Amino acid sequence: DVTMAILAIKSLLRFTSDFAVVIHDDGTFDQSCVEKFHKQIPGCRIVSNDDIDQKLAAVETVRRLRSKLSSRFNLPDEYQIKARAWAKKIFDLHLTSEREAIIFLDSDTLFLKEPTEIIEWIQDPSSCSFYARPKHTNLHVDHQRLKEIFPELNVIECFNSGLFGFRRNQLTLKMLIDTSEILFSNLDVPVYSDECIWRYTFSSIPHVALPFETYPLFVRKTHYRSILDKPNVKYMHFLGKHIDGVYQKVASAVLGEM
């Protein structure tokens, strides 16, 4: 997904350069990947496995949780590379960030118009954390059981971890540790992806959802057609990136504009 990641980042940078771009190695990068990123996005920083190992040496609790978190995801064996990448995503943003404000972006995304909501968030240090959301609820864990293990939370019903932003003084590393520890203490509660951990942690802080009509995500061409030509769409998340040729079509249009 290196080429997709480059296009996702550059589709955003054409509207604002107010970012320090950090790219996290999911465990599959070789030197050619690193060179391609540096060539296409001058000044970007690549976080390698070695970089993280040095950080983890000083935080034993995080090292322990991160090393076993991939086994907590309810996934078939063939998804272990993805599971390990999700485990990195939970903790590595805090461990490696040199700035207070963090925006996470998946590689299978594209910005079509100026994301004014995100730019305004960057410019306002008091703004609360934000996230993208699916059109319908995607909370598939028993609500009563969640209330038992997270009694103080009103858990977010519609959450997607392909695009979100927070400040480290709002959503702390300790919060992610505490959420992960609770899920390890309650093994009957399924954890389908990193999205579950982010969802529960975001539920504990002030937050706002980006409007689906402006920041939609979809899987099939039929879903895409329902938002096609909508004037407010500024971004798309292609959950079914290799299905029906939709990503290729939109990516070609974005490249044409750039």
Side-chain angles (χ1 to χ4, degrees), residues 12-207:
L12 175 58
L13 291 178
R14 64 184 168 146
F15 298 113
T16 175
S17 59
D18 194 17
F19 293 102
V21 177
V22 181
I23 299 160
H24 291 258
D25 181 0
D26 65 352
T28 66
F29 286 11
D30 58 21
Q31 187 58 33
S32 66
C33 297
V34 173
E35 291 172 357
K36 185 178 289 188
F37 279 123
H38 283 309
K39 178 180 179 180
Q40 291 293 328
I41 308 171
C44 73
R45 179 161 62 96
I46 309 294
V47 176
S48 69
N49 290 331
D50 289 342
D51 295 331
I52 288 295
D53 287 343
Q54 293 178 19
K55 300 282 187 182
L56 288 172
V59 278
E60 171 59 27
T61 299
V62 175
R63 188 195 64 76
R64 173 178 56 81
L65 283 172
R66 187 177 176 275
S67 66
K68 68 178 186 175
L69 188 58
S70 59
S71 65
R72 187 65 179 85
F73 298 127
N74 293 61
L75 291 170
D77 291 342
E78 61 266 26
Y79 286 88
Q80 285 311 300
I81 290 178
K82 179 171 285 189
R84 287 193 293 271
W86 286 341
K88 293 178 180 182
K89 179 177 170 182
I90 295 299
F91 299 111
D92 292 11
L93 303 187
H94 272 281
L95 293 177
T96 60
S97 178
E98 297 175 353
R99 299 194 179 186
E100 186 65 25
I102 297 174
I103 294 175
F104 180 87
L105 182 66
D106 269 354
S107 62
D108 53 347
T109 57
L110 289 172
F111 286 87
L112 313 182
K113 297 179 182 178
E114 183 179 23
T116 50
E117 295 85 354
I118 294 175
I119 293 172
E120 290 170 359
W121 181 84
I122 295 169
Q123 296 169 345
D124 180 6
S126 66
S127 56
C128 64
S129 301
F130 73 85
Y131 58 92
R133 52 155 294 169
K135 188 173 185 179
H136 304 293
T137 180
N138 62 342
L139 178 60
H140 302 302
V141 181
D142 180 74
H143 287 46
Q144 182 57 44
R145 187 71 183 95
L146 286 180
K147 184 58 68 176
E148 292 170 2
I149 67 171
F150 296 112
E152 305 299 322
L153 298 190
N154 182 16
V155 177
I156 298 168
E157 296 277 343
C158 303
F159 187 91
N160 179 262
S161 63
L163 170 62
F164 58 84
F166 64 90
R167 289 177 171 82
R168 290 193 292 165
N169 63 346
Q170 297 172 345
L171 192 159
T172 66
L173 180 60
K174 184 180 184 303
M175 291 177 180
L176 292 169
I177 291 172
D178 290 347
T179 300
S180 301
E181 295 276 27
I182 289 171
L183 291 170
F184 272 110
S185 299
N186 296 272
L187 297 177
D188 62 302
V189 176
V191 180
Y192 298 108
S193 71
D194 70 287
E195 194 165 273
C196 296
I197 298 172
W198 289 111
R199 181 199 301 269
Y200 303 143
T201 310
F202 262 77
S203 298
S204 68
I205 61 174
H207 57 262

